[in-house]
Amino acid sequence: MTENPSQYVRERAAEGRKDLRYPVAPEPLTSPVYDNHAHLEITDGVEPLSLKDQLDRAEAVGVAGVVQASGDIESSRWAVDAAATDPRVLAAVAIHPNDAPVYAEAGQLDQAIGVIDELAAHPRTRAIGETGLDFFRTEEDRRGPQFESFEAHIALAKKHAIAMQIHDRDAHDAVLETLARVGAPEKTVFHCFSGDDAMARICADAGYYLSFAGNVTFKNAQNLRDALHVTPLDRLLIETDAPFLTPVPLRGRPNAPYLIPLTLRFMAAELDTPVDELAAQVAENTLRVYGEFAD
């Protein structure tokens, strides 16, 4: 493992983005919430923020903690180190579905899943994620390892009795079928939910949690707003997916947990619910899924 989790794993590409400055902090929330899914191992912006900077900025606006998600061995180790370093972080570890074929083609998928198994045993690891299926970036003839990896990750979440964060891109039916066939972990989260209201109802009926990111604010995302309206409040989570999916009106600029208040206030307005009331419910849901941040 790394000794300093502020040493980033990779850098977000700048191509096609006009403004790489981190935005001014929004008005703080008066009822704290948590960022259910972020990638703080990815550096971004003209003045990258350290892990401590990210967490301090978040805490200053009422974002009390962050679930640090992963996609490969290196980022999973980084997540566990970050969670062990700062009580405001919990770790989620996994092999991303788009990386599963890469590991498989190198003959290393079983070994990689074995590493995730080891990391999942750490007391600060509270989720397997992000795992699932992605039919957008992975060609049909390379999807076999995605299914193999997804089912193995489901088994790990059950083995360690922790939550699971699902990555689902253009694969709604296959993800739902897999969960129904194999049996979903008790606490299953659809990270950056991308379906519509019909899918949201299916997920809610199955007891899954739906996590909404900054793209719920995008003009072309009416399907997400429709899904938000039918999601039971006790199944609702919020995330940044930072440094990606920065909410309107800051779309394209670096995203970070301290911008959660923008998305939360948008969701509260959309649902015609008081901001504090929604924040308290989302925070309760987050702690129910992942447990307390400060042990």
Side-chain angles (χ1 to χ4, degrees):
M1 294 190 183
T2 59
E3 294 182 358
N4 181 2
S6 288
Q7 299 302 309
Y8 294 94
V9 172
R10 59 191 173 98
E11 181 179 359
R12 184 184 178 190
E15 288 80 9
R17 301 163 63 207
K18 296 179 180 179
D19 192 343
L20 298 181
R21 297 171 299 164
Y22 273 94
V24 174
E27 178 184 352
L29 298 169
T30 55
S31 184
V33 295
Y34 300 86
D35 185 347
N36 159 79
H37 185 107
H39 298 277
L40 301 183
E41 86 285 4
I42 304 173
T43 185
D44 194 22
V46 291
E47 295 182 0
L49 301 176
S50 70
L51 176 64
K52 184 177 185 303
D53 289 339
Q54 292 272 20
L55 298 170
D56 287 349
R57 287 194 181 196
E59 188 172 18
V61 298
V63 180
V66 178
V67 179
Q68 167 65 23
S70 310
D72 56 21
I73 290 175
E74 190 175 11
S75 61
S76 294
R77 286 175 171 154
W78 194 98
V80 173
D81 285 344
T85 299
D86 195 301
R88 296 170 290 185
V89 181
L90 294 177
V93 298
I95 303 301
H96 192 282
N98 286 325
D99 286 294
V102 179
Y103 280 103
E105 288 156 9
Q108 298 174 351
L109 182 57
D110 288 345
Q111 178 183 354
I113 291 172
V115 173
I116 300 304
D117 188 8
E118 294 174 3
L119 294 172
H122 194 282
R124 299 290 294 171
T125 300
R126 303 292 178 78
I128 297 295
E130 56 190 279
T131 183
L133 301 172
D134 188 319
F135 293 172
F136 178 76
R137 294 193 181 279
T138 298
E139 304 86 351
E140 186 171 358
D141 63 353
R142 299 178 70 232
R143 291 174 187 168
Q146 285 196 355
F147 283 93
E148 178 185 349
S149 179
F150 187 22
E151 293 189 23
H153 281 78
I154 292 171
L156 289 181
K158 294 176 181 178
K159 173 184 177 180
H160 294 280
I162 55 179
M164 181 177 69
Q165 294 187 348
I166 291 178
H167 171 101
D168 164 26
R169 189 165 187 186
D170 291 359
H172 303 326
D173 291 344
V175 167
L176 291 172
E177 185 280 329
T178 302
L179 292 174
R181 175 171 48 82
V182 177
E186 179 183 353
K187 294 176 285 190
T188 294
V189 177
F190 275 77
H191 130 70
C192 191
F193 183 78
S194 59
D196 57 12
D197 54 337
M199 181 177 175
R201 289 189 180 95
I202 292 171
C203 290
D205 288 345
Y208 307 150
Y209 292 82
L210 280 63
S211 179
F212 290 85
N215 56 342
V216 73
T217 70
F218 293 0
K219 183 178 180 180
N220 64 350
Q222 186 59 46
N223 65 304
L224 301 183
R225 293 184 283 278
D226 292 343
L228 176 64
H229 278 281
V230 303
T231 300
L233 291 182
D234 67 351
R235 296 288 139 177
L236 185 62
L237 297 172
I238 193 169
E239 66 175 87
T240 57
D241 201 20
F244 312 104
L245 300 179
T246 313
V248 171
L250 302 169
R251 190 174 180 180
R253 294 179 68 177
N255 199 7
Y258 75 88
L259 297 179
I260 278 278
L262 297 175
T263 303
L264 184 81
R265 289 192 172 102
F266 178 93
M267 290 166 59
E270 186 72 22
L271 296 172
D272 194 23
T273 300
V275 173
D276 285 354
E277 183 178 317
L278 183 62
Q281 180 67 68
V282 169
E284 179 184 331
N285 299 343
T286 306
L287 297 177
R288 186 188 318 126
V289 172
Y290 303 108
E292 297 290 337
F293 277 67
D295 291 327

